[in-house]
Amino acid sequence: MSSAETATAAAPDARTERRAKRIAKHLTSFAQQHGGSADAVVEYVGAVATRIVVVGADGAWGDQVAPTYAVGRRAAELAGLTLHENFEGELGLKVKTSAYEWKRMAGIQLGG
């Protein structure tokens, strides 16, 4: 393999790393603002996006969208988040919802 082929083959990995580092900054900031640590689930949204659901140590939650599963997973790893395979059990129990979420969920259920 020539050096040009090697550089081309490595380009997607470098791009993934850059994107992941950019997203990891946001995830790290969230964790610091919400108890110093956070848990995360990386899940497919569709063919063109991945969602990183983050739950802080204080129960606050949020999400970030990444362009691919690889970028999302790498971003969570770089941010030092505890990764879970799914959003069930203990992780779900950690989430604290506010009046806003309850009102929004009720509005969706009631057609609002």
Side-chain angles (χ1 to χ4, degrees):
M1 185 180 287
S2 72
S3 61
E5 290 172 328
T6 304
T8 304
D13 292 337
R15 186 175 187 193
T16 294
E17 193 71 10
R18 281 193 311 273
R19 288 176 164 182
K21 284 180 180 179
R22 193 173 324 121
I23 294 168
K25 288 180 185 179
H26 296 283
L27 298 174
T28 301
S29 176
F30 178 88
Q32 290 172 346
Q33 292 173 22
H34 295 284
S37 65
D39 295 270
V41 175
V42 180
E43 54 189 21
Y44 290 100
V45 175
V48 295
T50 298
R51 181 178 184 211
I52 309 162
V53 180
V54 187
V55 180
D58 66 356
W61 64 279
D63 64 358
Q64 282 278 284
V65 175
T68 67
Y69 186 85
V71 170
R73 183 148 182 107
R74 181 67 180 139
E77 291 169 354
L78 289 169
L81 306 182
T82 301
L83 285 165
H84 299 266
E85 291 300 315
N86 51 49
F87 199 88
E88 296 177 359
E90 277 187 43
L91 182 58
L93 292 173
K94 287 183 178 182
V95 175
K96 292 183 181 173
T97 53
S98 69
Y100 169 80
E101 281 92 12
W102 284 106
K103 182 177 179 182
R104 183 163 166 79
M105 287 186 279
I108 290 170
Q109 293 297 320
L110 300 173

